[in-house]
Amino acid sequence: MPTPDLEESLAAAVGAGNRARAQELPALAVDGVTPQGAAFPASAEETAQVMKLAAAESLAVVPKGGGTALSLGNPPERADIILGTRRMDHIVDHAAADLTATVGAGITVQRLNEALAEQGQGVLLDAPLAERATIGGVLASDTVGPRRLGFGGPRDRLIGIRVADAAGNLIKGGGRVVKNVAGYDLNKLFVGSHGTLGVIVEATFKLAPLPNTRAAMVGGFSTLEDAMAAAAELRAGWLRPLALELLNGTAYGLISARTSTPGMADRPYILVVDLGGGPAAVERQKRDCHKAIVETGGISMAVEGHQYYPAFWKALLDLGRRDDGPASMITRCSVQFGQVLPLVHGHEAMAEGGKLEIGIDVHLASGTIRGFWWGEKKGMADHDTLADTVPTLRTAAGHVGGAFVVESCPLPVKRKLDVWGPVGPELAIMKRLKQQFDPERILSPGRFVGGI
């Protein structure tokens, strides 16, 4: 229960109507840890005030954007204050001629891209549940999607950042012009820090012009080996797709059903190639994709037009995360391209052995394999069965220099394992950074790798 003093202090920092009431706090619990209070500042300065309060009272703070990535991480040691960024949802500056934009951390990915699209531009970051996912959350979690291949990820597009640190100081890195390289690179430091070093309050991005024409080519294959052969040919050629994805039949079937996209009957592996450019260039790319697909034993079709194309990619990004069909567990395995094939087979073998259903989506550009795990017939899976899949796949990934992370799972499963897995010698550096930026362990204690 919040103390009257904490309620009054939070109200003084952000306004009485912008802090949670006692009855609202259970709904804001993080992995079973209920906060004593919650505040929703509207500015960098109000955020700094909340952090100063937390530092003075030794209260742990967990930053929260849209909550779409809040399941990623170990349970916090403490979560005294939830600091929500949803009110910092403004576009500070859009210099269309310079292809840059500065925005508040609470703006959603969807709203930002819709606003920028009016000028034919976009930040072009992929995020599941983009209507809820905030820019600050995408940066803090380093959320990377399919179109990283064509447009880059958060680290590539970010050129400036403003952060409230654990003591309540506002610090800034980078700038509002692409050529700015002066000073310490705080951008890369805070991207992927999972709210353990500071609270992102503002970000500046370099933008990209939107392609005139967009289309996707979908290839269906009878074997994983054929699908990977087609992917290897596309990677080796002149074609520069915006995304190159591999789906298994379960994943594609869910996407197809949600979007009314034609199915790929009896084709258990699906290759999806995202294309963009001028109309003539896209037509040429479609022909080249079709050729590569059929020459490796596949069948192909195009997904294009306003009716199908946007909905198809949104369904792919939201796979396993929507309320009408959430996966029991979501895992991420990162390996080199040459190790994707055996690791996908390994995921399938573990699912079959545990009588689980699995949807698989592979970002072939980065070798990132996401597994979406359900019980039989899309039901909720047994907790022990889910937990038992992790050590085997983590060991297999580790043997080839990869990593295996549990992005989302029920709390009883999370209590049985470390969602991050082992960390190499870089952990010592990360701990020193934590000590430098947050010596009192105010920010998200215990959530990140190695208990940071």
Side-chain angles (χ1 to χ4, degrees):
M1 292 291 292
T3 65
D5 287 346
L6 179 57
E7 284 190 327
E8 291 175 7
S9 297
L10 292 176
V14 300
N18 301 312
R19 50 106 170 115
R21 307 282 182 182
Q23 61 269 27
E24 298 170 321
L25 295 175
L28 296 171
V30 180
D31 286 335
V33 182
T34 301
Q36 298 179 39
F40 304 94
S43 67
E45 290 73 22
E46 287 186 359
T47 304
Q49 284 299 115
V50 175
M51 292 308 305
K52 286 177 181 177
L53 165 66
E57 301 296 331
S58 297
L59 299 173
V61 175
V62 176
K64 178 180 182 291
T68 59
L70 204 59
S71 60
L72 178 57
N74 289 314
E77 295 169 10
R78 298 180 295 137
D80 301 312
I81 298 175
I82 299 297
L83 197 161
T85 64
R86 68 191 186 195
R87 295 178 64 226
M88 292 186 284
D89 61 350
H90 48 290
I91 296 177
V92 178
D93 178 64
H94 177 201
D98 295 329
L99 285 173
T100 65
T102 301
V103 301
I107 194 168
T108 66
V109 174
Q110 178 173 297
R111 184 179 162 217
L112 176 57
N113 274 324
E114 286 176 350
L116 297 175
E118 295 177 5
Q119 298 291 326
Q121 299 173 353
V123 70
L124 299 175
L125 295 176
D126 282 327
L129 305 174
E131 68 277 10
R132 287 172 43 203
T134 62
I135 285 296
V138 167
L139 293 174
S141 59
D142 194 17
T143 297
V144 175
R147 282 167 285 197
R148 173 188 181 182
L149 178 61
F151 299 113
R155 293 177 189 271
D156 306 302
R157 306 221 64 83
L158 185 69
I159 59 173
I161 197 167
R162 197 175 182 203
V163 176
D165 71 8
N169 302 307
L170 290 173
I171 58 178
K172 186 177 181 180
R176 295 192 183 185
V177 291
V178 176
K179 65 181 180 181
N180 187 297
V181 295
Y184 185 66
D185 192 355
L186 292 176
N187 298 345
K188 289 183 172 61
L189 183 65
F190 286 101
V191 173
S193 62
H194 295 274
T196 60
L197 299 179
V199 182
I200 298 170
V201 295
E202 196 173 277
T204 300
F205 295 96
K206 56 183 176 182
L207 308 178
L210 297 177
N212 293 328
T213 304
R214 300 284 288 273
M217 287 299 291
V218 179
F221 298 86
S222 299
T223 70
L224 179 58
E225 289 74 11
D226 287 346
M228 290 300 293
E233 184 171 335
L234 290 169
R235 280 166 52 95
W238 70 270
L239 190 70
R240 293 294 178 265
L242 305 179
L244 183 60
E245 297 290 290
L246 173 71
L247 306 169
N248 74 344
T250 298
Y252 183 79
L254 291 169
I255 295 167
S256 175
R258 179 173 290 279
T259 60
S260 300
T261 306
M264 283 277 180
D266 301 322
R267 299 285 172 151
Y269 300 100
I270 315 296
L271 199 63
V272 184
V273 191
D274 192 21
L275 307 169
V282 170
E283 285 302 315
R284 184 172 68 252
Q285 292 175 73
K286 285 165 57 179
R287 291 193 298 269
D288 290 343
C289 282
H290 172 77
K291 184 173 181 289
I293 290 168
V294 298
E295 286 182 349
T296 47
I299 58 173
S300 76
M301 71 174 187
V303 175
E304 53 193 335
H306 183 72
Q307 181 180 3
Y308 291 121
Y309 178 90
F312 180 89
W313 283 106
K314 178 163 178 54
L316 190 153
L317 283 166
D318 292 352
L319 185 65
R321 294 177 171 91
R322 300 196 67 86
D323 293 340
D324 56 354
S328 299
M329 181 170 72
I330 301 175
T331 59
R332 181 179 75 227
C333 179
S334 302
V335 294
Q336 296 294 320
F337 179 84
Q339 299 298 328
V340 166
L341 192 151
L343 262 298
V344 168
H345 280 321
H347 280 66
E348 294 172 327
M350 290 300 298
E352 183 177 359
K355 296 184 178 179
L356 300 168
E357 284 199 65
I358 185 171
I360 295 175
D361 172 24
V362 186
H363 303 335
L364 288 170
S366 60
T368 301
I369 305 167
R370 276 195 171 83
F372 304 88
W373 306 79
W374 289 271
E376 290 185 286
K377 298 181 180 179
K378 302 296 185 302
M380 295 303 292
D382 175 74
H383 294 160
D384 289 335
T385 303
L386 289 174
D388 288 346
T389 66
V390 174
T392 300
L393 290 173
R394 180 168 282 162
T395 298
H399 282 162
V400 294
F404 189 92
V405 171
V406 179
E407 291 192 335
S408 175
C409 67
L411 184 56
V413 176
K414 191 172 284 192
R415 286 173 173 158
K416 294 174 182 288
L417 47 85
D418 180 350
V419 301
W420 300 106
V423 187
E426 63 270 23
L427 180 60
I429 298 173
M430 297 170 75
K431 286 185 173 180
R432 287 199 295 271
L433 287 169
K434 177 69 170 176
Q435 176 63 28
Q436 179 179 348
F437 280 87
D438 184 17
E440 301 301 320
R441 305 188 79 249
I442 294 293
L443 285 156
S444 302
R447 294 276 284 163
F448 201 18
V449 295
I452 292 176

